[in-house]
C-alpha cells in the first residue's frame, strides 16, 4: 500500500477483555515495529519484526502482550485481559532494512481506551 | 542503553519567526542516525529531517535545519519562517547503525505557533 495502515483507529473496551490491533505495512518493507504512546509521554518501543520473526520483543510490558506477523506483511498486536494502564495510542511503523536507508514510516495509530 | 532528552516540554513562536528545539542524547556508539519527527493532532508521525552521525555537515530541509554537535551529543532543530501548520509535537529520535536497531525517542516538545 501507499502508507502504513492501522485498524481500528479507535477502540474502547472493558477491563479484562482481549483486543487485537492490526498493522498493514508498506509493501516490500521487511522491518515492522510496534510502539506505544501514553498520554504526555514519548514513544515506547514494544517489538520489532524482521520478516516473520521477532528478534527483539524486549519492550513488551507483560505476558499479556503478544504480537505476530504473517507472510512478512500484516502484523497483529494482541493484548489479553486488558487493564486501564493499557490505555494508549499504539503506533506501527515499517521500513526497508537497508543500512543507511532505515527510515521508519508510521501509521496513524490505534487509540485504545480501557474502561 | 541509548537515551534521548528533550528538555523543553513546550515552546511558543510567532508566525514568520524562528524557533529552536533542543535535543541531547547519550550513546557509546560512533555510528548512528538522528531524526526529528513531527506529530500533528492527526497522530501521524511525519519525518522532518535526518542526520547521519558520520556527516559533519548539518542537514537542511527547506525551512528546517539542524545544529548537530557530535562531541556534545546535541541535535537541535531550527524552524525558520514559522507557519501555523508547524504547530505540532516534535520528537527527537536516535537509531544506531549496528545490525538492526530501533528508534529511541525523547518525550517530545509541543510547539505552539501564534498569528
Amino acid at each position: 500500500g501507499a502508507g502504513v495502515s492501522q485498524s481500528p483507529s479507535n477502540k474502547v473496551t472493558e477491563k479484562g477483555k482481549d483486543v487485537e490491533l492490526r498493522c498493514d505495512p508498506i509493501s516490500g518493507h521487511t522491518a515492522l515495529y510496534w510502539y506505544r504512546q501514553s498520554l504526555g509521554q514519548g514513544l515506547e518501543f514494544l517489538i520489532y519484526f524482521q520478516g516473520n520473526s521477532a528478534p527483539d520483543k524486549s519492550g513488551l510490558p507483560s505476558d499479556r502482550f503478544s504480537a505476530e506477523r504473517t507472510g512478512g506483511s500484516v502484523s497483529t498486536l494482541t493484548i489479553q485481559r486488558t487493564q486501564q494502564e493499557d490505555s494508549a495510542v499504539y503506533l506501527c511503523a515499517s521500513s526497508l532494512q537497508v543500512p543507511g536507508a532505515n527510515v521508519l514510516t508510521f501509521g496513524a495509530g490505534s487509540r485504545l481506551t480501557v474502561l | 542503553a541509548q537515551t534521548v532528552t528533550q528538555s523543553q516540554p513546550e515552546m511558543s513562536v510567532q508566525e514568520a519567526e524562528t524557533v529552536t528545539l533542543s535535543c541531547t542524547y547519550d550513546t557509546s556508539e560512533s555510528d548512528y542516525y538522528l531524526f526529528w519527527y513531527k506529530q500533528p493532532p492527526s497522530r501521524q508521525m511525519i519525518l522532518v529531517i535526518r542526520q547521519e552521525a558520520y556527516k559533519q555537515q548539518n542537514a537542511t530541509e527547506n525551512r528546517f535545519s539542524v545544529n548537530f554537535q557530535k562531541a556534545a551529543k546535541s541535535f537541535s532543530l531550527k524552524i525558520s519562517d514559522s507557519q501555523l501548520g508547524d504547530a505540532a509535537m516534535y520528537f527527537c529520535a536516535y537509531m544506531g547503525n549496528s545490525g538492526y536497531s530501533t528508534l529511541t525517542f525523547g518525550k517530545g516538545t509541543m510547539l505552539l505557533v501564534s498569528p
Side-chain angles (χ1 to χ4, degrees), chain A residues 9-10 33 35 37 41-43 45 48 56 89 97 100-104 106-111, chain B residues 33 35 37 39 42-45 47 50 52 91 95-97 99-107:
Chain A
S9 179
N10 289 284
Y33 308 77
Y35 285 82
Q37 184 176 22
Q41 299 295 311
L43 278 74
F45 167 76
Y48 156 74
D56 188 353
V89 174
Q97 197 63 30
N102 48 357
V103 174
L104 273 64
F106 284 82
S110 293
R111 181 181 297 280
Chain B
Y33 300 88
F35 304 82
Y37 276 88
Q39 187 181 41
S42 67
R43 298 198 309 244
Q44 184 81 50
M45 296 281 283
L47 177 66
R50 179 178 79 148
E52 292 95 336
F91 291 97
M95 177 180 275
N97 194 31
Y100 87 90
S101 211
T102 61
L103 273 177
T104 300
F105 286 87
K107 290 191 181 298

Side-chain angles (χ1 to χ4, degrees), chain B residues 13-76:
Chain B
V13 66
Q14 288 192 316
E15 263 188 306
E17 297 294 308
T18 295
V19 64
T20 298
L21 308 184
S22 301
C23 173
T24 58
Y25 58 95
D26 190 24
T27 184
S28 58
E29 296 177 306
S30 59
D31 194 16
Y32 49 87
Y33 300 88
L34 296 164
F35 304 82
W36 280 97
Y37 276 88
K38 168 185 177 181
Q39 187 181 41
S42 67
R43 298 198 309 244
Q44 184 81 50
M45 296 281 283
I46 302 164
L47 177 66
V48 175
I49 200 164
R50 179 178 79 148
Q51 174 81 42
E52 292 95 336
Y54 65 87
K55 288 187 177 178
Q56 292 190 340
Q57 186 172 7
N58 289 324
T60 63
E61 285 289 340
N62 301 313
R63 298 182 295 107
F64 298 87
S65 62
V66 299
N67 183 3
F68 173 48
Q69 302 288 329
K70 191 172 184 180
K73 295 180 182 172
S74 170
F75 183 61
S76 61

Side-chain angles (χ1 to χ4, degrees), chain A residues 43-55:
Chain A
L43 278 74
E44 173 191 13
F45 167 76
L46 297 178
I47 188 170
Y48 156 74
F49 286 94
Q50 178 58 38
N52 290 337
S53 63

Side-chain angles (χ1 to χ4, degrees), chain A residues 2 20 22 32 37 44-45 47 49-50 52 60-61 67-68 71 73 78 84 86 89 93 95 97 104 115:
Chain A
E20 285 189 351
R22 176 188 168 106
L32 186 146
Q37 184 176 22
E44 173 191 13
F45 167 76
I47 188 170
F49 286 94
Q50 178 58 38
N52 290 337
L60 294 177
E68 65 174 12
S73 181
T78 301
Q84 288 183 331
D86 299 335
V89 174
S95 76
Q97 197 63 30
L104 273 64
L115 301 177

Side-chain angles (χ1 to χ4, degrees), chain A residues 25-40:
Chain A
I26 291 174
S27 178
H29 279 192
T30 56
L32 186 146
Y33 308 77
W34 283 98
Y35 285 82
R36 179 169 71 174
Q37 184 176 22
S38 302
L39 189 63

Side-chain angles (χ1 to χ4, degrees), chain A:
Chain A
V4 178
S5 266
Q6 291 189 246
S7 60
S9 179
N10 289 284
K11 175 73 176 179
V12 180
T13 191
E14 293 179 349
K15 179 181 171 181
K17 295 286 179 73
D18 296 353
V19 296
E20 285 189 351
L21 307 177
R22 176 188 168 106
C23 174
D24 201 341
I26 291 174
S27 178
H29 279 192
T30 56
L32 186 146
Y33 308 77
W34 283 98
Y35 285 82
R36 179 169 71 174
Q37 184 176 22
S38 302
L39 189 63
Q41 299 295 311
L43 278 74
E44 173 191 13
F45 167 76
L46 297 178
I47 188 170
Y48 156 74
F49 286 94
Q50 178 58 38
N52 290 337
S53 63
D56 188 353
K57 51 181 80 171
S58 62
L60 294 177
S62 75
D63 58 7
R64 296 186 295 105
F65 287 72
S66 63
E68 65 174 12
R69 189 179 185 193
T70 55
S73 181
V74 172
S75 176
T76 302
L77 177 69
T78 301
I79 309 172
Q80 295 179 307
R81 306 180 302 282
T82 52
Q83 304 293 312
Q84 288 183 331
E85 61 262 28
D86 299 335
S87 296
V89 174
Y90 290 82
L91 290 164
C92 175
S94 69
S95 76
L96 293 169
Q97 197 63 30
V98 177
N102 48 357
V103 174
L104 273 64
T105 301
F106 284 82
S110 293
R111 181 181 297 280
L112 175 65
T113 303
V114 182
L115 301 177

